[in-house]
Amino acid sequence: MHKHLLVTGGAGFIGSNFVNYWHEKHPQDKIIVLDALTYAGNRQNLINLENSPNFFFIHGDICDRPLVDNLLEAEKITTIAHFAAESHVDRSILTPSTFIQTNIIGTFTLLESFRHYWQKQNQPSAYRFLHVSTDEVYGSLKAHESAFKENTPYAPNSPYSASKAGSDHLVRAYYHTYNLPTIITNCSNNYGAYHFPEKLIPLMCINILLGKSLPVYGDGQNIRDWLYVKDHCSALDVVLNKGKEGETYNIGGNNEVKNIDLVELICQIMDEIAPNLPVKPANQLITYVKDRAGHDRRYAIDSSKLQKELGWKPKATLESGLRSTLQWYINNQQWWQPLLSTDYQKYYQQVYGTFK
Ligand code: NAD
Ligand code: TYD
């Protein structure tokens, strides 16, 4: 049976990588993207699909219940892949309310709509509600602590991770209460093409190309696990096709690294592959700045459940994934230049102050 997918947030970073991946891998499936096109949504990310007969774009909000109800019915949706969210920790510190609205109310709206629709269809067991979430719901690890597992207690520390934790709990409750066929995935920090400039890796890459300072928060010793976005997409493919309803799967890249070491590695690769850098070696641009409020020290993901039960493995190493990503930003300046808008400059000023 061909799937009819509703992909929320499909014009964002991971959502658009997923849509491009899915369309190539499963061209017979129908894909309907629902996206509000916030600052983070960009139709350019989906430009390759605009003429495909199996691709449709709907500009709208996941909190709009009548719109979602109509879409599910009209498009005979079998699968929701839910990516839509406010996703940036620094923005959640500045304006938490949009995070509560989209991440909690938006997820609740989708769940309610999908529940009524699924019940009306006599509860098909093949239908799925895939909720894409984050390792940040598990809180912060100390250096000696073992990586997050699916049963690690939730301990979110930022308005972003708290709102994602709230949405995860709702999804869990809909499985337990209504038997709605849901699956939750919690993944580590993604990186790759189409990543909005505010996040660490694109920010460093773009600032190197522009000869601007590279702001490292605090002492630079915070640790993240980095997952190449294409590996994340292949994991979601496996989860949607072989995963068990009601389960949670952790997805990680097996690439734990300190921020400062990652920034040094980015500088080293950029020195090697980018022509005519304004400042070289690029690591002269590294500047330590005031720490992020409540900055989580370390995230690490144990994805052995997904590897053992569903046979998934990440393909990219940090070095190979970074090289492709940085090369993509060097080749696609016309994609990121327009994103450095007046609004973005305002945001930059708020987070980094007068720092250039
Ligand atoms: P993103 O910020 O790049 O994209 C979010 C997309 O959602 C945008 O296209 C935006 O327009 C859309 N959107 C926002 N509010 C909406 C609303 N109310 N209605 C409809 N669309 C709306 O985010 P991303 O990095 O692609 O993350 C996707 C998902 O993956 C999120 O749920 C995020 O929590 C999760 N996640 C991300 C990472 C990461 O490293 N980026 C890691 C773990 C989990
Ligand atoms: P980010 O990409 O915002 O992802 P998250 O906060 O969800 O992990 O940040 C990754 C790490 O890099 C995090 O420890 C914060 C740090 N960071 C900086 O040091 N400087 C920056 O300018 C940014 C955006 C992040």
Side-chain angles (χ1 to χ4, degrees), residues 122-282:
N122 292 323
Q123 314 193 348
S125 59
Y127 282 22
R128 284 289 178 273
F129 186 105
L130 170 67
H131 177 63
V132 178
S133 192
T134 167
D135 59 0
E136 304 193 23
V137 297
Y138 299 120
S140 182
L141 289 167
K142 299 211 166 55
H144 64 277
E145 286 179 313
S146 45
F148 302 128
K149 293 178 86 77
E150 286 77 1
N151 59 4
T152 301
Y154 273 33
N157 291 319
S158 71
Y160 163 65
S161 53
S163 66
K164 291 296 290 186
S167 65
D168 293 11
H169 288 321
L170 282 168
V171 176
R172 177 192 156 88
Y174 270 65
Y175 171 71
H176 284 275
T177 307
Y178 306 108
N179 297 321
L180 196 72
T182 59
I183 295 182
I184 299 174
T185 55
N186 296 89
C187 70
S188 53
N189 286 58
N190 283 223
Y191 67 102
Y194 303 117
H195 205 179
F196 193 80
E198 68 195 353
K199 303 278 171 67
L200 180 73
I201 290 178
L203 186 132
M204 294 298 160
C205 173
I206 290 171
N207 282 13
I208 291 171
L209 290 169
L210 299 175
K212 287 177 66 174
S213 300
L214 308 178
V216 174
Y217 293 157
D219 61 5
Q221 300 295 304
N222 303 64
I223 294 173
R224 296 292 182 264
D225 168 55
W226 292 94
L227 171 65
Y228 189 45
V229 68
K230 290 189 179 175
D231 282 328
H232 186 195
C233 294
S234 72
L236 297 178
D237 190 351
V238 170
V239 166
L240 272 175
N241 282 304
K242 297 205 269 176
K244 259 182 68 190
E245 57 194 82
E247 293 290 320
T248 290
Y249 298 95
N250 280 354
I251 309 173
N254 260 338
N255 289 310
E256 263 192 76
V257 57
K258 287 181 183 151
N259 288 344
I260 186 62
D261 294 341
L262 177 62
V263 174
E264 286 281 1
L265 179 59
I266 294 171
C267 289
Q268 205 183 303
I269 299 176
M270 289 296 281
D271 284 342
E272 199 188 306
I273 67 174
N276 310 319
L277 285 182
V279 178
K280 200 171 170 177

Side-chain angles (χ1 to χ4, degrees), residues 114 146 299 343:
F114 192 59
S146 45
Y299 305 139
D343 278 352

Side-chain angles (χ1 to χ4, degrees), residues 7-17 33-43 45 57-64 67 82-88 98 101-103 106-107 110 131-136 160 163-164 167-168 185-191 194-196 198-199 225-227 229 232 236 251:
V7 183
T8 71
F13 163 48
I14 305 175
S16 63
N17 273 282
V33 166
L34 172 61
D35 198 295
L37 296 178
T38 67
Y39 80 93
N42 188 346
R43 284 197 70 166
N45 302 1
F57 183 85
I58 311 290
H59 183 192
D61 193 323
I62 56 166
C63 301
D64 182 343
L67 171 71
H82 176 34
F83 296 87
E86 287 294 333
S87 69
H88 190 39
T98 51
Q101 181 63 24
T102 287
N103 299 1
T107 302
L110 288 173
H131 177 63
V132 178
S133 192
T134 167
D135 59 0
E136 304 193 23
Y160 163 65
S163 66
K164 291 296 290 186
S167 65
D168 293 11
T185 55
N186 296 89
C187 70
S188 53
N189 286 58
N190 283 223
Y191 67 102
Y194 303 117
H195 205 179
F196 193 80
E198 68 195 353
K199 303 278 171 67
D225 168 55
W226 292 94
L227 171 65
V229 68
H232 186 195
L236 297 178
I251 309 173

